[in-house]
Amino acid sequence: QITFGSIFLGNVPVHEEVHRCAGQIYGYKGCIRDFQVNHKELLIIDEALEGRNVENCNVPVCDYHPCHNGGTCTSDEENWYCECPKLFTGKLCQFATCDENPCGNGATCFPKSRQDAVCLCPYGRSGILCSDAINITQPSFSGTDVFGYTSFLAYSTIPNITFYHEFRLKFQLANHHSALQDNLIFFTGQKGQGLNGDDFLELGLRNGRVVYSYNLGSGTATIISKPLDLTLNVHAIHLGRNLQKGWLKVDDQKNKTVTSPGRLVGLNVFSQFYLGGYREYTPELLPKGPRFKNGFQGCIFDVQVRTSLNQGFKSPGTPEGHPNSGRSVGQCKDSPCSLIKCRNGGKCIETGSTVYCDCLTGWKGAFCTETVSVCEPEHDPPHLCQQGSTCVPLPDGYTCHCPLGTTGTYCEQG
């Protein structure tokens, strides 16, 4: 028997003769391989407080392929252990993906499945684990990915924007279809409450037209351009506001103006200046008005701003042109998939600087090089072990280890 605090493994301690109507009490005889309490692994020997009559188990454990998720089992006469792939941890490599974040450089870890993780790369980084540095001069945005995150850049708050602002920028669409969607180009405002009176300034695309909106606290003013000429490779936008009056010019279209409702004349915003998307991927967090459901898809560049007619234009950020943060933003016309080769029919997926392999059924791993074990949830067909039991792979199939109180081939009997 081994004691872990008040938990006794194998048998209870007997300090004097114990009588039971059913006869003598027998302790467990056999090998116990790993021990977990509330998902925390306890080292059977190293963490035990006391014990007796415990010997090393001579069962050739590696013959039973105990390591999960592509781990490699290694054993000698005294011990055995699993060498785990980068995305996994635990005695049996059973803890997957983001339990221990494999992503580098402050990347956002997202569990693509129970077996694999995707690293959503921060600004200036790319690669499977976001370990590669990239130089970005013309940012490329990928909209909202399949995990619900938008690619974005965040710059420091634009100062002195209260009574006057003027922006110039250029953009290039990823494709014509993206122009017909609901895409945010830039945003700054009292973000996070979603109220009617929140001040904000935003620009986006909707149904192939540019939409420019602002609210000074007494109602939303909106200008909608004519449809974009999709034969143009690069589009140019020039917009501004002086007190309540705003204006928008797109490509060679005529200048359009609007006056905001109510009497308020100042724009009071304190958030960062977001380009291409926003950190939160819930549109309802944006102030009420023409909310955009998606991030921009394509390249945005030559962004310049001034807050006075007496000033020259300059790039946003402190220092100028430098964002504070960002996610899944690549360099325009560069393809991170050109550096990645997915195996066994896997498809390389890129969203800005984020890149990963989408594996065919039966394969997993960063590059789709590992087979899916018969005991893993992604295996097709799934194993039949009942909930609460443990599926253990065998060379010719699998077996089910049943919890206390159940029996049967699949632990289906009480």
Side-chain angles (χ1 to χ4, degrees):
Q1 57 92 7
I2 300 178
T3 307
F4 293 86
S6 60
I7 301 174
F8 298 96
L9 192 62
N11 193 11
V12 296
V14 180
H15 299 293
E16 57 186 48
E17 185 179 358
V18 179
H19 298 278
R20 292 288 186 272
C21 293
Q24 188 174 358
I25 297 176
Y26 292 94
Y28 175 75
K29 184 177 182 180
C31 298
I32 299 177
R33 201 161 58 197
D34 73 301
F35 183 40
Q36 296 181 26
V37 177
N38 294 333
H39 302 291
K40 182 182 186 303
E41 287 187 283
L42 296 178
L43 301 178
I44 292 180
I45 299 299
D46 295 347
E47 295 189 52
L49 300 179
E50 61 179 299
R52 66 170 177 256
N53 299 330
V54 178
E55 297 178 354
N56 189 53
C57 189
N58 293 320
V59 176
V61 174
C62 288
D63 291 349
Y64 293 91
H65 307 286
C67 306
H68 298 185
N69 302 311
T72 301
C73 184
T74 302
S75 66
D76 53 33
E77 292 182 357
E78 295 296 326
N79 209 346
W80 66 275
Y81 61 93
C82 294
E83 295 181 6
C84 302
K86 282 187 176 180
L87 301 182
F88 304 95
T89 185
K91 174 74 172 178
L92 305 179
C93 307
Q94 74 274 38
F95 299 130
T97 62
C98 298
D99 289 338
E100 289 193 5
N101 189 348
C103 306
N105 299 295
T108 301
C109 182
F110 190 89
K112 181 177 66 172
S113 68
R114 295 186 186 181
Q115 270 65 44
D116 288 326
V118 171
C119 299
L120 309 180
C121 295
Y123 175 74
R125 292 285 172 172
S126 186
I128 292 287
L129 297 177
C130 304
S131 55
D132 303 328
I134 57 172
N135 183 35
I136 298 176
T137 57
Q138 292 188 346
S140 173
F141 303 88
S142 54
T144 305
D145 60 29
V146 295
F147 310 112
Y149 287 87
T150 58
S151 59
F152 74 92
L153 289 178
Y155 297 85
S156 57
T157 303
I158 298 174
N160 305 318
I161 200 174
T162 305
F163 301 112
Y164 183 92
H165 62 252
E166 197 172 345
F167 288 86
R168 297 191 304 205
L169 61 89
K170 296 177 182 177
F171 68 86
Q172 187 175 14
L173 297 168
N175 51 60
H176 289 172
H177 178 68
S178 66
L180 303 177
Q181 296 182 352
D182 203 35
N183 300 340
L184 181 69
I185 296 176
F186 72 61
F187 170 86
T188 185
Q190 297 173 353
K191 180 173 59 68
Q193 300 298 323
L195 304 176
N196 279 321
D198 287 345
D199 287 24
F200 69 86
L201 166 66
E202 65 181 351
L203 180 73
L205 289 178
R206 181 172 288 132
N207 297 324
R209 302 168 185 260
V210 175
V211 179
Y212 166 41
S213 294
Y214 58 91
N215 189 335
L216 308 180
S218 55
T220 301
T222 301
I223 304 175
I224 302 176
S225 75
K226 292 182 178 180
L228 291 172
D229 181 358
L230 298 182
T231 63
L232 297 176
N233 186 40
V234 176
H235 301 276
I237 295 178
H238 192 183
L239 61 87
R241 178 190 64 87
N242 183 22
L243 301 178
Q244 291 178 289
K245 186 175 181 180
W247 52 271
L248 170 69
K249 181 171 175 56
V250 177
D251 295 331
D252 293 328
Q253 298 180 17
K254 290 184 178 180
N255 190 56
K256 299 186 73 171
T257 62
V258 71
T259 300
S260 62
R263 297 183 177 181
L264 298 179
V265 298
L267 178 67
N268 299 302
V269 296
F270 311 104
S271 77
Q272 299 182 92
F273 177 76
Y274 288 87
L275 188 67
Y278 41 93
R279 187 182 304 275
E280 297 85 358
Y281 52 93
T282 306
E284 287 72 23
L285 290 176
L286 295 176
K288 291 189 176 180
R291 291 172 177 162
F292 295 93
K293 299 177 182 177
N294 199 0
F296 187 79
Q297 299 175 56
C299 303
I300 305 175
F301 47 94
D302 295 348
V303 180
Q304 295 184 314
V305 60
R306 67 178 180 179
T307 55
S308 170
L309 280 172
N310 300 323
Q311 291 180 344
F313 282 91
K314 65 178 184 178
S315 300
T318 306
E320 183 180 345
H322 290 265
N324 293 336
S325 62
R327 179 177 56 222
S328 298
V329 176
Q331 169 68 2
C332 194
K333 299 182 181 178
D334 279 0
S335 172
C337 276
S338 64
L339 304 175
I340 301 297
K341 187 171 183 180
C342 305
R343 307 288 182 174
N344 300 305
K347 181 181 179 182
C348 184
I349 306 295
E350 58 185 38
T351 56
S353 61
T354 294
V355 60
Y356 64 94
C357 291
D358 189 21
C359 304
L360 293 178
T361 300
W363 295 95
K364 62 174 182 151
F367 300 98
C368 306
T369 55
E370 304 164 28
T371 57
V372 176
S373 164
V374 66
C375 286
E376 292 171 354
E378 284 77 15
H379 189 269
D380 188 15
H383 67 80
L384 299 178
C385 298
Q386 296 297 300
Q387 186 174 6
S389 62
T390 302
C391 176
V392 179
L394 300 174
D396 57 349
Y398 64 94
T399 186
C400 301
H401 286 182
C402 302
L404 186 66
T406 63
T407 186
T409 303
Y410 306 115
C411 308
E412 74 281 9
Q413 300 175 15

